[in-house]
């Protein structure tokens, strides 16, 4: 039966993939991958050989309808990203929306995503939280921090090693005085690490210790604390 499967893949340790994800990839007619070279390593590890096509942020606008046409012809297609769950800071939304609009069945498998273990490891409240993904790099970045400074829920953002210090500087500048922050890097990988403390403490830490890897930042929500300018 024609269908689109959204299949999460490990964010680090290859052993994190589920049995159901492996079976889905084995039975799919076509696998869409964010980077076919990266995904080939995983598929080779699993002993899976299937037709593989690129589907990433640079071609999703032009490829989405073509892929939906392919599924309508009777093929089962599985979408994976380089790591984690497609659609969460990775391509996937546009294809899911197109399939739904066409009446094509979509099934999303549960599985790995980086922000959930980072949130729980933070020790900050995880009953209510907001996930922001990657914040704007330039236009809208300041307004994003000012908006989040008023957020009462625990905040989760993704960041690269090249902007982690700058991001911590912005948290210090725009958030309530010294919110608690947890920074996790290399989730489920050999050098996985979580550093916790106040925004000032973490800024000092990552200024003195050059950051490496991909980061998840978890920030304490505004619980009625005053802003710097009002202190």
């Amino acid at each position: 039966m024609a269908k689109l499967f959204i299949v999460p893949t490990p964010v680090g340790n290859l052993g994190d993939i589920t049995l159901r994800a492996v079976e889905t990839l084995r039975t799919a007619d076509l696998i869409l991958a964010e980077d076919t070279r990266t995904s080939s390593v995983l598929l080779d590890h699993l002993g899976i050989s299937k037709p593989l096509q690129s589907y990433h942020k640079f071609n999703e606008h032009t490829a989405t309808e073509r892929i939906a046409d392919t599924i309508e012809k009777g093929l089962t297609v599985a979408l994976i990203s380089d790591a984690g769950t497609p659609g969460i800071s990775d391509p996937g939304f546009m294809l899911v929306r197109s399939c739904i609009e066409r009446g094509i069945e979509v099934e999303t498998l549960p599985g790995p995503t980086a922000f959930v273990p980072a949130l729980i490891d933070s020790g900050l409240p995880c009953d209510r939280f907001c996930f922001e993904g990657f914040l704007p790099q330039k236009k809208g970045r300041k307004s994003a921090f000012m908006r989040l400074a008023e957020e009462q829920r625990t905040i989760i953002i993704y960041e690269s090693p090249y902007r982690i210090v700058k991001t911590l500087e912005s948290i210090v500048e725009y958030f309530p005085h010294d919110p608690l922050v947890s920074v996790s890097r290399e989730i489920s990988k050999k050098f996985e690490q979580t550093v916790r403390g106040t925004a000032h403490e973490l800024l000092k830490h990552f200024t003195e210790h050059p950051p490496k890897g991909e980061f998840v930042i978890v920030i304490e929500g505004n619980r009625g604390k005053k802003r710097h300018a009002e202190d």
Side-chain angles (χ1 to χ4, degrees):
M1 179 178 64
K3 193 173 187 178
L4 171 66
F5 283 96
I6 306 300
V7 183
T9 55
V11 297
N13 192 314
L14 296 182
D16 290 340
I17 195 163
T18 67
L19 295 174
R20 186 174 168 214
V22 173
E23 182 61 23
T24 300
L25 293 174
R26 282 180 176 157
T27 57
D29 297 308
L30 172 67
I31 298 174
L32 304 176
E34 186 177 4
D35 186 323
T36 55
R37 294 166 300 180
T38 299
S39 296
S40 291
V41 174
L42 173 64
L43 295 176
D44 287 345
H45 173 76
L46 298 173
I48 296 173
S49 178
K50 289 286 179 175
L52 199 60
Q53 287 185 16
S54 295
Y55 185 78
H56 46 70
K57 65 180 180 180
F58 301 109
N59 74 353
E60 61 178 333
H61 287 83
T62 57
T64 292
E65 297 307 317
R66 173 176 52 80
I67 293 168
D69 289 341
T70 298
I71 300 173
E72 282 189 329
K73 293 176 182 177
L75 295 184
T76 297
V77 174
L79 172 64
I80 60 178
S81 61
D82 288 349
T85 301
I88 304 298
S89 294
D90 283 323
F93 160 71
M94 292 183 64
L95 182 57
V96 170
R97 181 179 61 183
S98 178
C99 287
I100 291 172
E101 290 173 348
R102 291 175 178 232
I104 297 171
E105 186 175 357
V106 177
E107 185 171 348
T108 301
L109 277 58
T113 188
F115 76 80
V116 173
L119 170 62
I120 297 171
D121 280 351
S122 73
L124 294 171
C126 51
D127 54 335
R128 297 176 64 245
F129 60 90
C130 66
F131 173 71
E132 292 288 317
F134 288 97
L135 297 181
Q137 294 185 27
K138 294 181 180 179
K139 184 178 180 180
R141 189 172 176 86
K142 177 179 178 180
S143 60
F145 279 108
M146 294 182 69
R147 170 177 56 83
L148 291 175
E150 306 299 333
E151 175 61 61
Q152 296 183 359
R153 297 168 294 177
T154 300
I155 302 158
I156 306 167
I157 60 177
Y158 285 163
E159 194 52 277
S160 78
Y162 310 108
R163 290 189 298 274
I164 186 75
V165 171
K166 184 177 180 180
T167 294
L168 289 168
E169 288 174 343
S170 295
I171 294 172
V172 168
E173 180 177 1
Y174 296 113
F175 276 58
H177 55 284
D178 246 4
L180 295 175
V181 177
S182 175
V183 176
S184 296
R185 72 180 186 94
E186 298 293 88
I187 295 290
S188 191
K189 297 179 182 178
K190 181 178 180 179
F191 298 106
E192 178 177 354
Q193 179 187 43
T194 295
V195 183
R196 307 172 186 85
T198 65
H200 280 89
E201 290 170 343
L202 264 62
L203 175 58
K204 182 175 184 295
H205 172 83
F206 285 106
T207 299
E208 296 175 350
H209 301 84
K212 296 180 180 180
E214 296 300 319
F215 290 82
V216 183
I217 304 175
V218 184
I219 310 164
E220 177 188 23
N222 186 336
R223 303 280 173 143
K225 295 180 180 180
K226 293 182 179 181
R227 298 284 298 279
H228 280 297
E230 299 172 347
D231 289 349

